[in-house]
Amino acid sequence: MTRMTPELTPTVEELEAQERRLVFPRFSTEDAWELGSLLVALARERQAPVAIDIHRAGQQLFHAALEGSAPENDAWIDRKRRVVMRYGHASFLVGTRFRAKGRSFEESSRLDPDVYAAHGGSFPVRVDGSGVIGAVTVSGLPQAEDHALVVEALERFLGLVVD
């Protein structure tokens, strides 16, 4: 199971490995509900003040705003999800790739930072044989923690966690 602390920022290679591993055989509206409910349970367990969002093919399938989250979290969700849908990779991976080259996403991408945010917390919904069809996004914690929460939920949902 992947659990990161803010001090343990994953490398580009680790983030790419997560994406290769966390692929769905299919992704239905029921899957979105179950995954979203799992994220809510994990966040409540940790008293995390987050908003959670799941989109597929441009449609919002799940949204929850937990105690302590704010409207700003929804704006962050939209910005991070746009990065996933534009680049086809996790928002944290995109930002980490820019930083690994000594650049910032905000300065080097030529994209409006009010519309796109390459900060951790949005992960692609990749279906085997179909590619990226959507995104699972969390906002409200430091970016490494937002990312780690999504990855943990995906690992559990896909049965990749050995307890």
Side-chain angles (χ1 to χ4, degrees), residues 74-139:
D74 291 331
W76 276 99
I77 282 171
D78 290 342
R79 292 167 58 215
K80 292 191 273 188
R81 183 183 64 250
R82 285 187 193 109
V83 166
V84 170
M85 299 314 297
R86 181 175 183 105
Y87 288 88
H89 294 288
S91 55
F92 204 24
L93 173 57
V94 172
T96 301
R97 282 179 172 161
F98 274 89
R99 286 186 296 279
K101 294 177 182 174
R103 302 183 319 212
S104 76
F105 175 81
E106 294 76 13
E107 293 174 1
S108 299
S109 70
R110 297 183 177 192
L111 298 173
D112 184 345
D114 290 333
V115 179
Y116 294 90
H119 292 258
S122 191
F123 202 93
V125 173
R126 188 180 316 273
V127 174
D128 190 30
S130 297
V132 176
I133 62 160
V136 180
T137 311
V138 168
S139 176

Side-chain angles (χ1 to χ4, degrees), residues 24 26-38 54 56 59 61-62 157:
F24 292 83
R26 62 176 179 70
F27 194 76
S28 68
T29 55
E30 184 63 28
D31 292 328
W33 175 259
E34 289 177 21
L35 177 58
S37 298
L38 173 59
I54 301 175
R56 181 190 69 189
Q59 181 183 18
L61 301 180
F62 185 93
F157 185 84

Side-chain angles (χ1 to χ4, degrees), residues 2-10 39 42-43 46-50 80 92 119-122 137-153:
T2 302
R3 287 201 179 164
M4 289 178 267
T5 62
E7 302 83 41
L8 298 175
T9 301
L39 273 161
L42 290 171
R46 295 168 183 144
Q47 298 179 327
V50 298
K80 292 191 273 188
F92 204 24
H119 292 258
S122 191
T137 311
V138 168
S139 176
L141 303 170
Q143 67 172 330
E145 293 177 40
D146 279 347
H147 178 83
L149 182 60
V150 173
V151 168
E152 181 181 350

Side-chain angles (χ1 to χ4, degrees), residues 11-30:
T11 65
V12 167
E13 294 76 20
E14 291 167 331
L15 293 166
E16 289 172 343
Q18 289 173 350
E19 286 194 7
R20 284 190 301 274
R21 222 169 23 89
L22 300 172
V23 176
F24 292 83
R26 62 176 179 70
F27 194 76
S28 68
T29 55
E30 184 63 28

